Amino acid sequence: MAVQSHNYNRREGEKAKNLCLVLLDVDRLKYYNDTYNYVCGDVVLKALGSYFSAHLRETDVFGRWGGDEFVILLPLTETQTAFEIMSNHVKSFSRVTPIAIKKKYHNTQLAKEVITFSFGIASLGKEKTIQALVNKANKSLQLAKKQKNAIVMAKK
């Protein structure tokens, strides 16, 4: 998908159309595991996966990256637009998740927690490889994780 998006950009000659890679990390997952047990930590991960699978655009791709990290591909999306999309999801997720955790997973204690996450956003630009794009997004994610509940965009 990244290569197709990059080729489309070159073919169309429009720099505004881009591919954004978002790395997402669940803040304080170790706390949920230690406080409520690993089953509750899994509930957090499932709730996050369920939310994003249902609320992303049809063209977006969502998947688990590993541990408490997820990856989102936003094709033909500018960095600022990706930032706005993720900001909206942060607000929406914090509204719907406690209800979902209580109803679907029958966990009232965890439903009282405010679950947050950090995002690192990078757009496909001069990078020659997907690994370079991932590295750029990961650097942004590391900065976001230091702040917690933050969205950091990589410099172009």
Side-chain angles (χ1 to χ4, degrees):
M1 178 183 281
V3 171
Q4 285 177 332
S5 178
H6 187 68
N7 288 341
Y8 176 85
N9 290 345
R10 234 183 304 132
R11 191 172 58 246
E12 295 296 315
E14 296 180 31
K15 292 181 181 176
K17 294 186 177 177
N18 209 337
L19 172 81
C20 282
L21 172 68
V22 179
L23 293 181
L24 178 160
D25 181 88
V26 179
D27 295 331
R28 301 176 348 135
L29 185 64
K30 183 178 178 347
Y31 163 81
Y32 302 126
N33 286 334
D34 292 347
T35 304
Y36 300 109
N37 70 36
Y38 284 91
V39 172
C40 290
D42 286 346
V43 165
V44 171
L45 296 175
K46 287 177 186 176
L48 184 70
S50 180
Y51 171 83
F52 277 104
S53 294
H55 290 90
L56 287 173
R57 304 171 304 180
E58 192 174 300
T59 56
D60 300 337
V61 179
F62 174 83
R64 191 161 180 195
W65 190 248
D68 59 351
E69 292 185 351
F70 293 82
V71 62
I72 304 170
L73 285 174
L74 304 171
L76 303 174
T77 305
E78 295 180 39
T79 310
Q80 185 58 41
T81 303
F83 181 87
E84 292 165 7
I85 290 169
M86 292 304 112
S87 295
N88 289 333
H89 284 305
V90 167
K91 293 172 193 162
S92 181
F93 181 82
S94 63
R95 263 194 329 271
V96 301
T97 304
I99 297 165
I101 286 174
K102 196 172 184 178
K103 284 184 177 179
K104 187 173 182 179
Y105 303 105
H106 311 291
N107 190 316
T108 54
Q109 281 299 106
L110 187 57
K112 294 176 186 173
E113 293 284 349
V114 177
I115 299 167
T116 63
F117 32 87
S118 300
F119 296 97
I121 301 174
S123 62
L124 187 63
K126 298 175 185 176
E127 288 72 32
K128 301 290 183 201
T129 66
I130 298 304
Q131 188 59 49
L133 177 64
V134 170
N135 289 343
K136 192 162 82 168
N138 193 48
K139 285 180 185 176
S140 296
L141 177 61
Q142 297 313 311
L143 292 172
K145 285 169 62 170
K146 286 180 182 178
Q147 300 172 48
K148 303 276 189 234
N149 197 27
I151 304 170
V152 175
M153 295 186 301
K155 295 178 181 172
K156 293 188 179 193

